[in-house]
Amino acid sequence: MAVPWLRLGAERLFEMPAVLERLSRYNSTSQAFAEVLRLPKQQLRKVLYPLQEVERFLAPDGRQDLHLRIFDPSPEDIARADNIFTATERNRIDYVSSAVRIDHAPDLPRPEVCFIGRSNVGKSSLIKALFSLAPEVEVRVSKKPGHTKKMNFFKVGKHFTVVDMPGYGFRAPEDFVDMVETYLKERRNLKRTFLLVDSVVGIQKTDNIAIEMCEEFALPYVIVLTKIDKSSKGHLLKQVLQIQKFVNMKTQGCFPQLFPVSAVTFSGIHLLRCFIASVTGNLD
């Protein structure tokens, strides 16, 4: 896969004012991103590159085990990804259907990504944040754990499909294992699985089961740390270091870089959109 995002990356935001000026005039579908670019430097880094914000609190010798800049897209690529997630007449973003079995799932030939995680990890809230540029898309969010009982499919134009999976653990559907395992093993157009972990409590026993399932099926997956707005800087740094060590030592199929996000402050959301656009082949 091409990796155009390695060329300049995050530092370009702060060293090349001309890039920011050009992007602020990008076009009408990039207005939301143009507003982000007007944030003060420190706040801009927190919103766009939260993992690199954590880096500031590490001693130099403590950074070597953190894969902070493997996915380090340029501002232009982040803007392109935001355009993909922006609903227009020509780029329809819609809920497609729900399914409780793989043979009931819609036959969608485009690339697919799915989101799995423990009940109450903030999965539906994260997907709603990803779709904030398409406000007509209804993503149901509940304060009660285990609200999602089916696989919910959302199409993003002609680019890819996003699948919201039921939560595992507390109040998981009785047929969760059959539903999710079959989907993960048989869905041929699945390009990446996003496994959500609560940044406040870290990896739990039920998360370990999901990780083992991804490893057993040889699936490429990513760990997304949710609810970073609820963690202090010190606690978040501790969790990042612990989970990064776990990824380095215990996994084979996990993408080495973690993705911290907040569905409340939108920190990390733009970067996650860009990664999704990249792994589905839309930034090549």
Side-chain angles (χ1 to χ4, degrees):
M1 181 179 66
V3 284
W5 21 269
L6 287 175
R7 58 185 183 271
L8 285 174
E11 295 307 317
R12 192 171 180 183
L13 282 174
F14 314 112
E15 295 177 358
M16 298 183 65
V19 172
L20 304 185
E21 182 179 354
R22 184 168 69 251
L23 280 174
S24 68
R25 302 193 305 266
Y26 197 76
N27 57 42
S28 60
T29 61
S30 291
Q31 289 305 308
F33 188 60
E35 291 296 323
V36 172
L37 293 176
R38 296 189 182 99
L39 294 173
K41 177 180 176 180
Q42 185 173 348
Q43 190 176 355
L44 181 61
R45 182 187 283 111
K46 288 180 180 179
V47 170
L48 292 185
Y49 304 98
L51 191 60
Q52 293 181 19
E53 176 67 12
V54 170
E55 179 186 17
R56 299 195 306 122
F57 300 95
L58 287 171
D61 59 351
R63 299 176 186 178
Q64 57 187 0
D65 293 329
L66 283 182
H67 302 283
L68 294 165
R69 302 176 190 274
I70 294 177
F71 183 72
D72 190 18
S74 68
E76 288 92 341
D77 282 341
I78 295 177
R80 288 170 61 198
D82 267 25
N83 284 343
I84 290 171
F85 276 90
T86 300
T88 65
E89 289 186 5
R90 299 182 62 181
N91 188 52
R92 298 290 301 275
I93 300 176
D94 298 303
Y95 161 79
V96 178
S97 66
S98 298
V100 294
R101 288 170 26 192
I102 188 64
D103 53 349
H104 292 168
D107 184 14
L108 302 171
R110 59 182 62 89
E112 202 158 275
V113 297
C114 77
F115 287 76
I116 66 174
R118 186 170 54 85
S119 296
N120 204 34
V121 74
K123 182 164 45 58
S124 295
S125 295
L126 173 58
I127 292 175
K128 186 173 183 178
L130 289 172
F131 287 154
S132 64
L133 301 176
E136 293 183 359
V137 177
E138 183 179 2
V139 181
R140 294 185 178 182
V141 178
S142 174
K143 294 182 179 179
K144 295 181 179 180
H147 176 75
T148 304
K149 299 295 185 183
K150 301 178 180 180
M151 300 180 288
N152 298 315
F153 294 78
F154 302 86
K155 68 175 182 178
V156 180
K158 297 180 179 179
H159 303 288
F160 51 84
T161 304
V162 172
V163 187
D164 183 7
M165 307 293 282
Y168 50 77
F170 179 67
R171 294 190 66 188
E174 293 182 2
D175 54 353
F176 174 85
V177 173
D178 290 339
M179 183 193 313
V180 175
E181 278 196 4
T182 305
Y183 168 85
L184 294 177
K185 285 193 292 187
E186 298 184 7
R187 198 67 169 177
R188 299 304 177 196
N189 55 336
L190 178 62
K191 298 300 182 183
R192 197 69 52 128
T193 297
F194 291 85
L195 198 158
L196 277 54
V197 172
D198 190 325
S199 68
V200 178
V201 299
I203 295 177
Q204 303 292 292
K205 290 182 179 179
T206 48
D207 296 319
N208 275 312
I209 295 172
I211 290 169
E212 290 171 3
M213 183 168 58
C214 290
E215 293 284 338
E216 178 185 351
F217 300 157
L219 296 173
Y221 65 104
V222 182
I223 290 182
V224 179
L225 303 181
T226 63
K227 305 181 182 180
I228 63 172
D229 55 288
K230 295 187 177 181
S231 292
S232 67
K233 292 178 181 177
H235 183 74
L236 179 59
L237 177 59
K238 179 182 177 180
Q239 291 290 0
V240 166
L241 291 173
Q242 288 180 346
I243 296 171
Q244 184 71 72
K245 182 178 180 180
F246 175 90
V247 170
N248 293 347
M249 298 181 65
K250 302 291 187 180
T251 71
Q252 296 293 325
C254 186
F255 190 73
Q257 182 174 319
L258 306 176
F259 283 80
V261 297
S262 167
V264 176
T265 66
F266 276 73
S267 181
I269 297 298
H270 298 276
L271 189 66
L272 189 57
R273 285 178 185 147
C274 194
F275 187 73
I276 294 170
S278 178
V279 298
T280 55
N282 288 283
L283 290 185
D284 293 345

